[in-house]
DNA sequence: GCCAGTTTCAATCAAAATCTGTCAAATAAA
DNA sequence: TTTATTTGACAGATTTTGATTGAAACTGGC
């Protein structure tokens, strides 16, 4: 086994298992501890993995692609995604924002006859060869790391689109409304909201009560919100008072 | 075993196995280490594989399945791509059409500080995480199989773009001009030509003399054409008479 | 808390593997 | 034939590897 192959194997093992011990890697690839340590150090240095005592874990920051980030898709996110996807009627046109939760929603759409519009490169890659799905890609400045298209081109393209539902992710939710991490993103998402009849926010409950850099919109602009069981009764009441229909995924 | 055959075998082994050690290649093809090394060096130089210590690995950037057609990226296409990429000045903004040859051009751009605009999903995937490259994605209806964004949204987005050079692929070239296989594609490419100061067609010589379903434009609209050595003197004269600067890749 | 025992880590070094460059022999082309 | 290209072999430089060592971190009992 050559150097590259070994490192590739190690990386793949870590990506699929989430965590591996140094000892198990020694057995797996048949090299010495020193060599594996050096490989882990290298992979850590280039940001592919995070070293921990006794082994290494996945960082969720793959160099080559954005997709296949199944590891980050927790059971909660998948549950939320299933409920959200259940809202969609056959033949409907939906708009999907970028984000790990919306990526899970997209995964649930495979095999259904739908029109999907998205500015997310991972979602495009996921759905690109699905014959039942008609895929419209929103272009723009491609934001590194996350792989979403943003900026004037995206806004302009979105203004020419009309869909039944938007599935949107957020960076944080407070009584003041929705937040996200980046102003370009917020600008694009505002246009998304204008292009959809109904705005559905998909999120996990950890976002509730946290804000972020850029304010997106007040709560009243949201029609539905799908969230995992972790939501408190208080928050549920706050959201419902703002006119949001809250769906809890179980 | 003759040179070409040996290199072909090596390439095939690497493509199917992903990684291969120098030693195993020595056994496989029955040549000396030196010879295999030289072959690997050559295949690396033309971008078919990546040489690594102890052997070589496949240029592993196939994510979505479109670029399985990479097998079609012949030495001619690579040579053409290298010449085409050589035209680009540092910091320039270039527009890349979809296609296997333009994908090879994109591959040549890795590591250079450029603005790249494209409607091709394979190219976006290839360049998405290259830190030096600022990537603008053109959205639209995502054409299945080839992974290019077309249609009104693409045309509209392109109309807002201005670049120095367009690298365009074609389905066929005759005295009547350029052709492509699909009317949606041709419509989008016409707008691309309007958005660029200079139109560079990249093609292999087999396209000369063949037409296709949809007429794109007359020869006079093209400024430069990069083609492999297979071009005849006749064709060269025809193209130059139409005002095209012909570059032959060797 | 503290300590002893165990595991893991970083640093170092010599051996092994691999690479580069060169050169002459073998082969193909002119 | 002569010339150019390809091939295999070899020497010296470079990189990688595995073993070893002492230091650091963790564990469980007190």
């Amino acid at each position: 086994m050559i150097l590259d192959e070994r490192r590739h194997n190690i990386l793949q093992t870590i990506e699929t298992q989430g965590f591996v011990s140094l000892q198990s890697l020694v057995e797996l690839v048949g090299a010495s501890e020193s060599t594996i340590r050096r490989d882990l150090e290298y992979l850590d240095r280039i940001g592919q993995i995070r070293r921990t005592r006794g082994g290494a874990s996945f960082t969720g920051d793959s160099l080559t692609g954005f997709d296949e980030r199944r590891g980050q898709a927790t059971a909660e996110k998948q549950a939320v995604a299933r409920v959200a996807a259940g809202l969609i009627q056959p033949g409907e046109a939906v708009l999907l924002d970028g984000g790990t939760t919306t990526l899970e929603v997209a995964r649930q759409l495979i095999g259904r006859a739908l029109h999907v519009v998205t500015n997310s490169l991972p979602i495009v890659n996921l759905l690109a060869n699905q014959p039942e799905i008609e895929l419209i890609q929103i272009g723009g400045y491609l934001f590194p790391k996350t792989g979403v298209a943003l900026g004037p081109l995206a806004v302009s393209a979105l203004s020419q689109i009309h869909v039944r539902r938007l599935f949107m992710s957020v960076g944080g939710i407070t009584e003041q409304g929705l937040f996200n991490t980046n102003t370009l993103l917020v600008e694009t998402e505002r246009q998304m909201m204008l292009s959809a009849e109904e705005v559905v926010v998909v999120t996990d409950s950890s976002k509730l009560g946290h804000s972020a850099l850029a304010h997106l919109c007040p709560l009243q602009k949201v029609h539905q919100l799908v969230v995992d069981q972790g939501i408190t009764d208080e928050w549920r009441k706050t959201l419902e008072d703002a006119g949001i229909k809250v769906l809890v995924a179980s």
Side-chain angles (χ1 to χ4, degrees), chain A:
Chain A
M1 192 179 320
I2 66 177
L3 186 148
D4 249 26
E5 185 179 5
R6 194 183 57 234
R7 289 185 179 165
H8 190 264
N9 281 352
I10 291 174
L11 184 57
Q12 199 142 42
T13 305
I14 295 174
E15 285 196 0
T16 54
Q17 306 204 7
F19 175 88
V20 280
S21 72
L22 191 133
Q23 285 307 326
S24 65
L25 285 175
V26 167
E27 288 175 31
L28 181 72
V29 306
S32 71
E33 277 194 15
S34 298
T35 300
I36 304 291
R37 274 185 217 287
R38 276 185 281 249
D39 286 339
L40 293 181
E41 188 201 340
Y42 168 80
L43 291 169
D44 183 42
R45 184 150 35 84
I46 65 170
Q48 297 274 37
I49 62 166
R50 204 176 26 250
R51 269 188 94 179
T52 60
R53 196 176 180 80
S57 60
F58 185 55
T59 56
D61 203 66
S62 165
L63 180 76
T64 48
F66 314 93
D67 51 350
E68 319 298 351
R69 200 58 38 72
R70 200 74 196 242
Q72 281 194 357
T74 59
E76 286 83 37
K77 280 187 183 175
Q78 296 197 23
V80 168
R82 265 196 304 280
V83 170
L87 297 172
I88 301 169
Q89 303 297 313
E92 205 171 289
V94 297
L95 176 51
L96 295 181
D97 191 12
T100 51
T101 312
T102 49
L103 178 59
E104 287 306 308
V105 173
R107 219 182 287 279
Q108 296 289 328
L109 303 184
I110 291 174
R112 299 180 59 180
L114 297 169
H115 295 245
V116 175
V117 186
T118 185
N119 67 332
S120 158
L121 184 54
I123 291 178
V124 168
N125 280 322
L126 180 66
L127 300 181
N129 280 320
Q130 299 301 326
E132 298 87 357
I133 291 179
E134 183 144 324
L135 188 57
I136 310 282
Q137 178 180 28
I138 300 297
Y141 167 66
L142 199 76
F143 206 68
K145 299 292 173 205
T146 58
V148 288
L150 304 175
L153 271 183
V155 171
S156 156
L158 283 164
S159 71
Q160 301 172 53
I161 292 282
H162 178 87
V163 299
R164 178 78 187 83
R165 278 196 186 82
L166 160 64
F167 292 90
M168 196 167 64
S169 33
V170 291
I173 303 177
T174 73
E175 287 85 351
Q176 277 72 50
L178 310 184
F179 292 81
N180 237 323
T181 47
N182 160 327
T183 52
L184 264 183
L185 178 54
V186 162
E187 183 192 349
T188 309
E189 283 176 325
R190 286 213 186 95
Q191 181 61 53
M192 285 186 179
M193 296 173 75
L194 294 176
S195 302
E197 291 173 31
E198 193 171 292
V199 176
V200 182
V201 170
V202 289
T203 185
D204 53 289
S205 53
S206 67
K207 303 283 174 62
L208 296 167
H210 291 84
S211 79
L213 178 69
H215 184 251
L216 171 58
C217 69
L219 291 179
Q220 285 74 23
K221 296 268 185 173
V222 177
H223 302 100
Q224 297 199 43
L225 183 140
V226 187
V227 66
D228 63 274
Q229 290 175 308
I231 185 175
T232 62
D233 288 348
E234 270 174 283
W235 264 108
R236 183 164 187 156
K237 185 167 186 326
T238 306
L239 294 169
E240 284 176 343
D241 284 351
I244 301 176
K245 184 174 175 191
V246 178
L247 298 176
V248 179
S250 55

